Each structure stands twice: as C-alpha cells, then as structure tokens.
Amino acid sequence: MTLVLATTEPGEAEIFASLQGEGPAVGRPSVFVRLSRCNLACTWCDTAYTWRFEGDNRPHRDAATFDRRVNQVSMSEEDAAARIAALGPERLVITGGEPLLQGAALARMVGQLPAMHVEIETNGTVAPHPALDPLVHQYNVSPKLAHSGNPAELALVPERLAGWAAEPRTFFKFVVSSQSDLAEIERLQSDHAIPGERLFVMPEGTESDTLRARSAWLAEAALGRGWRFTDRLHIHLYGDTRGT
Ligand SMILES: C[S@@+](CC[C@H](N)C(=O)[O-])C[C@H]1O[C@@H](n2cnc3c(N)ncnc32)[C@H](O)[C@@H]1O
Ligand SMILES: Nc1nc2[nH]cc(C(=O)O)c2c(=O)[nH]1
Ligand code: SF4
Ligand SMILES: [Mg+2]
C-alpha cells in the first residue's frame, strides 16, 4: 500500500522539518508530512498544488499557468516513516491537502514510527479512520467559512462539527479574511458550544504585510470575544515556500 504525497519539486516528497507555524503548538520543532489531494477547493488555498494534478479539473486562480503533472508522488508507509524518523524532531504534523482522506495508510505509517507527538491539520469534513484515531494527540480542525468559496453543505457538516467539538483533542482554527467572517464564527461557536480556549482565529494571507494588516484588527476581535489568536510564523520566516 502507498501514501500519495505532495511534492516540493517533481518526484520529491514533501516531508520536512520546520517550526510549527500555526495554532497551539506554534514555535515547536516538528516534522511535517504533506499529503496530496483534497475534497474541498478553497479559493485562497496556499497549497492548491496538492489538488492540482492531472485528472483534477477544479477551477483555480492559477489555472492557466499551473503545471498539473508534477505535484504528487507515491511512497510506501515504511519509507515515509523512515524519512520522518531520520529528520529528528519528536513532533509530527500531518497536513495536506486533506490528510484524513488517506487515514488507513496514515495509520500504517504512524504505526511504524518511534513514539512521537502526532498533530493532524484537517478541514474537519472527514471522520478520522478508526485505526488512525488512537495514534493522534491533537487535531487542528479548520472549518471553511463562506469566504473560502466552498458550498456550505460540503464544508460545514453539522454532525462532523459536533463530533470535533465533543473531542477534547480538537483545536478549531478559523481562517479570517474580513470582519464579516466573525459573525459566522460566533454562530458556529454557539451552535456547537466550542470553548474559547479551543478556538483560534488566524488571518488569511501568504505575505507578511497582509498578515500584519489583518492581525491588527483580528487580535482585537479575539481579545473581545475570549478567542485565541494565531499568526502564521512560517510565512514571516520563510515566505510562501513549499517545504517550509
Ligand atoms: C493547507 S491546509 C491543509 C489541511 C486541511 N486541508 C485544512 O484546510 O485544514 C493547512 C492550514 O492552512 C490554512 N490555510 C490555507 N491557505 C491559507 C491562507 N491563504 N491563509 C491562511 N491560512 C491558510 C488552512 O485553513 C489550514 O488551517
Ligand atoms: N511551518 C509550518 N507550519 C505549519 N502549520 C500548519 C501548516 C500546514 O500547511 O498545514 C504549516 C506549514 O506548512 N508550515
Ligand atoms: S481544505 Fe485545506 S488543502 Fe483543501 S483547499 Fe482548503 S485549505 Fe487547501
Ligand atoms: Mg501551510
């Protein structure tokens, strides 16, 4: 069996060491593994190359220039585990694309690792595979609001959101572009009784200047509502670069 991974360049699987740039574990040295494919198509997705491959025709802003051929690579779970273990940090962040689409293969990969803290970055639409779930320490769930351009019936499934809200390993991380997104988060928080302690807001942006401009009012909004705020440290450190 194999995992389908994203690539940093043709044929090179996106497995790398970096500081966790977002959420409750920000600043912690971690190994990242980025999987290919997604079931959503956010207009502002910073890793759209994970779902831009031959055979996938979802619309995207870079449709005219994007090379679809070079963005995925298959690897055995065993080889992926060996690459992860060799990098050093004892924390693993599994992201994508949407990693929970490959839950069974991920369970086999994590099962071959030495003991590590395992975080999953997910859009929250897919239930964790029963073999993977016991191996996970933290879920960073990022439900997609209306400004993401996804149909709400795909992006915000009430039963799934209720499941995540009831799961103590979950931290919600809402991407925010404008002040009008805040009412949607308030509604979701109240519908699912999400404690502020487990609710992060994060500015949308792939450039430091954009993040700073949005952080100015978003940090205030978080303070006023008892929410947590996270910047995107990796963008400030490395820009919008694959494998960082
Ligand atoms: C690329 S996604 C992969 C995991 C999963 N598909 C998801 O959306 O959570 C990783 C994180 O980056 C966030 N993200 C993607 N593009 C972004 C952007 N332009 N600005 C801010 N956050 C972004 C997502 O919301 C998610 O929290
Ligand atoms: N350094 C760093 N931190 C991250 N936290 C979440 C990321 C992601 O793309 O899921 C990410 C990423 O791509 N890089
Ligand atoms: S759900 Fe995540 S990977 Fe998928 S398009 Fe949205 S931000 Fe990108
Ligand atoms: Mg990222």
Side-chain angles (χ1 to χ4, degrees), residues 100 102-104 107 127-134 139:
L100 293 181
Q102 299 184 63
H129 190 282
L132 177 64
D133 188 50
Y139 291 103

Side-chain angles (χ1 to χ4, degrees), residues 81-165:
R83 291 272 290 272
I84 290 164
L87 281 169
E90 291 174 358
R91 296 179 70 99
L92 176 63
V93 180
I94 303 174
T95 185
E98 178 43 55
L100 293 181
L101 295 175
Q102 299 184 63
L106 282 175
R108 288 190 294 271
M109 181 192 84
V110 176
Q112 296 180 52
L113 287 170
M116 290 181 89
H117 181 280
V118 177
E119 273 179 56
I120 307 255
E121 303 277 346
T122 176
N123 63 30
T125 61
V126 183
H129 190 282
L132 177 64
D133 188 50
L135 308 175
V136 176
H137 299 88
Q138 182 180 318
Y139 291 103
N140 302 323
V141 178
S142 184
K144 297 304 182 277
L145 307 177
H147 70 96
S148 70
N150 295 291
E153 61 270 27
L154 294 184
L156 299 172
V157 181
E159 310 82 73
R160 275 283 78 239
L161 290 171
W164 292 118

Side-chain angles (χ1 to χ4, degrees), residues 22 34 46-47 232 234:
E22 306 171 2
R34 191 177 305 283
D46 65 357
T47 51
R232 308 189 76 210
H234 51 115

Side-chain angles (χ1 to χ4, degrees), residues 116-222:
M116 290 181 89
H117 181 280
V118 177
E119 273 179 56
I120 307 255
E121 303 277 346
T122 176
N123 63 30
T125 61
V126 183
H129 190 282
L132 177 64
D133 188 50
L135 308 175
V136 176
H137 299 88
Q138 182 180 318
Y139 291 103
N140 302 323
V141 178
S142 184
K144 297 304 182 277
L145 307 177
H147 70 96
S148 70
N150 295 291
E153 61 270 27
L154 294 184
L156 299 172
V157 181
E159 310 82 73
R160 275 283 78 239
L161 290 171
W164 292 118
E167 164 57 65
R169 293 170 291 174
T170 298
F171 289 89
F172 288 91
K173 188 173 64 178
F174 292 97
V175 174
V176 178
S177 298
S178 69
Q179 312 246 9
S180 59
D181 303 332
L182 300 174
E184 214 180 333
I185 301 171
E186 287 172 336
R187 194 163 53 248
L188 289 167
Q189 178 179 25
S190 120
D191 285 354
H192 299 287
I194 302 170
E197 164 64 23
R198 296 202 280 121
L199 192 164
F200 281 81
V201 284
M202 174 169 81
E204 190 281 322
T206 52
E207 293 180 351
S208 274
D209 289 353
T210 312
L211 294 174
R212 276 202 201 91
R214 290 180 169 154
S215 295
W217 53 263
L218 185 55
E220 282 303 305

Side-chain angles (χ1 to χ4, degrees), residues 3 14 21 34 77 128 150 158 206 212 214 219 225-226 229 244:
L3 282 162
E14 194 167 344
R34 191 177 305 283
E77 294 87 351
N150 295 291
T206 52
R212 276 202 201 91
R214 290 180 169 154
R225 291 167 176 80
F229 170 87
T244 62

